[in-house]
Amino acid sequence: MSQQFDVFNGDADGICALHQLRLAEPLESTLITGLKRDIALLQQVNATAGDRVTVLDISLDKNRDALLALLESGAHIDYFDHHFAGEIPAHSGLNASIDTSADTCTSLLVDEHLEGRFRDWAVAAAFGDNLHDSARRAAQSLALSTTQLEQLCELGTCINYNGYGVELGDLFFHPAELYRLLKPYRNPFDFIAEEPAYQRLRDGYREDMQTASSQQAELATQRVALYILPDEPWARRVSGVFGNSLARQHTHRAHALLTRLNSGGYRVSVRAPLNNKEGADELCRAFPTGGGRKAAAGINLLAEEELGRFIDRFQEQFTVNNA
């Protein structure tokens, strides 16, 4: 008997993309996910001929070897993503919907695939990915009130916030658990109103953001700003959404948030300027463990001795190249 594997990023985009698909086609599956930065997930899939694998919001380029092995095994793979992919394999077992445009995300690709059947969840995901203009455009057909739009924005932001951390203990909920909490709700407004876990997540987000707002930049110019955050759980949780918030406040400026790691070095989040959403992935791929997309990217481990080179490249990328 064939099996279904659902492999998804542990952030708002991955979770909401899967939620839309399973609302449209309910079925039991093996869930494979992790922290937002845990993207080499396909190697965990033990599929054989006839099995189906749905992959959501993780880079094909970072999973290429495992993908090719699964295709060789006879598994059928549906792949939705918006990160750098490199060359997409031509194989009858692969159905790839990949768009690396800076103004889209995986949930919006799934929304297009499903012809808007669960668009409110895609809107929440787009807000969570800091694609506010894209979220509002997608929401135009839903006739939402200003309050409802703000609720979806906070929902997406909070789900996204939950995915950040260096280890699963940093999170309020394991991403698979958070998906299961969403699963009974066709309507995101019911989830907001009725699910106690959401109140816990929202309170944690607000408290961590208040702490982050007191941090001072190590480097700040008209074009770039760089923050170094302490080795604390709140900093590991908040780095991505704090970067998104700074990007919205200063749309002409690129931002880098470096969170100190107990083991040494830094976890890095980079946000390109919102008025020119290019270059974050190029910068981060220049360093080991770096990757992402044009508007938002990161480095899992920046060695201490690489800090000076990173700062120089960061300023060059967004001051010289984008001048």
Side-chain angles (χ1 to χ4, degrees):
M1 183 176 180
S2 64
Q3 298 183 72
Q4 170 72 40
F5 296 86
D6 287 332
V7 186
F8 59 103
N9 196 305
D11 68 356
D13 198 18
I15 291 173
C16 291
L18 177 59
H19 189 42
Q20 292 175 80
L21 286 172
R22 293 294 155 254
L23 285 173
E25 185 184 3
L27 50 80
E28 292 301 316
S29 67
T30 299
L31 302 180
I32 297 176
T33 187
L35 298 165
K36 181 177 173 65
R37 295 287 182 90
D38 290 343
I39 57 173
L41 296 174
L42 279 187
Q43 61 191 12
Q44 299 180 35
V45 178
N46 184 25
T48 58
D51 290 342
R52 300 189 66 90
V53 184
T54 299
V55 189
L56 300 161
D57 202 40
I58 60 173
S59 166
L60 187 154
D61 190 60
K62 297 290 186 181
N63 289 271
R64 184 175 304 279
D65 290 346
L67 172 63
L68 292 174
L70 287 170
L71 291 171
E72 184 66 23
S73 76
H76 181 87
I77 300 173
D78 294 311
Y79 210 121
F80 295 85
D81 188 43
H82 66 132
H83 298 90
F84 176 77
E87 184 178 354
I88 300 173
H91 194 285
S92 60
L94 175 64
N95 180 25
S97 179
I98 296 176
D99 184 347
T100 62
S101 302
D103 291 323
T104 196
C105 63
T106 302
S107 281
L108 289 175
L109 297 177
V110 170
D111 173 71
E112 183 178 354
H113 172 71
L114 297 176
E115 300 181 339
R117 289 176 61 188
F118 307 102
R119 181 160 292 166
D120 39 13
W121 287 105
V123 170
F127 275 126
D129 244 14
N130 209 34
L131 299 174
H132 285 226
D133 290 343
S134 298
R136 292 189 181 95
R137 282 195 296 271
Q140 287 176 355
S141 64
L142 301 178
L144 300 174
S145 68
T146 299
T147 297
Q148 287 176 313
L149 206 58
E150 290 172 351
Q151 287 178 314
L152 290 183
C153 180
E154 187 168 48
L155 172 63
T157 300
C158 287
I159 296 173
N160 204 56
Y161 153 80
N162 182 73
Y164 281 91
V166 174
E167 55 188 37
L168 288 169
D170 291 332
L171 311 187
F172 283 94
F173 301 97
H174 189 290
E177 179 188 0
L178 186 54
Y179 165 71
R180 291 188 184 100
L181 290 170
L182 259 68
K183 193 174 180 180
Y185 296 94
R186 294 179 68 87
N187 185 326
F189 300 107
D190 291 339
F191 176 80
I192 290 168
E194 299 172 12
E195 178 53 59
Y198 180 59
Q199 183 67 48
R200 179 185 174 197
L201 193 57
R202 183 169 54 187
D203 289 347
Y205 161 71
R206 291 174 177 176
E207 182 177 338
D208 285 352
M209 281 294 286
Q210 185 173 3
T211 304
S213 66
S214 67
Q215 303 299 301
Q216 299 297 313
E218 297 287 327
L219 166 70
T221 70
Q222 287 187 331
R223 304 301 295 273
V224 298
L226 182 143
Y227 290 74
I228 297 181
L229 304 180
D231 175 26
E232 298 286 348
W234 71 262
R236 296 191 289 271
R237 287 193 297 265
V238 86
S239 61
V241 292
F242 184 41
N244 290 345
S245 176
L246 290 169
R248 292 194 301 276
Q249 293 174 45
H250 308 279
T251 58
H252 290 71
R253 197 167 76 177
H255 295 85
L257 282 80
L258 284 67
T259 305
R260 294 186 185 276
L261 299 175
N262 180 261
S263 56
Y266 306 89
R267 175 70 62 94
V268 181
S269 291
V270 175
R271 298 294 181 268
L274 286 185
N275 72 331
N276 184 19
K277 293 182 281 192
E278 301 281 343
D281 57 343
E282 181 182 345
L283 168 66
C284 292
R285 287 204 308 272
F287 294 85
T289 74
R293 52 191 174 87
K294 296 175 183 179
I299 303 168
N300 286 344
L301 174 59
L302 178 73
E304 189 77 44
E305 59 268 23
E306 290 274 53
L307 177 59
R309 185 169 78 92
F310 173 80
I311 293 173
D312 290 344
R313 288 290 298 267
F314 175 57
Q315 293 186 88
E316 178 185 359
Q317 182 72 46
F318 296 109
T319 300
V320 178
N321 293 350
N322 289 347

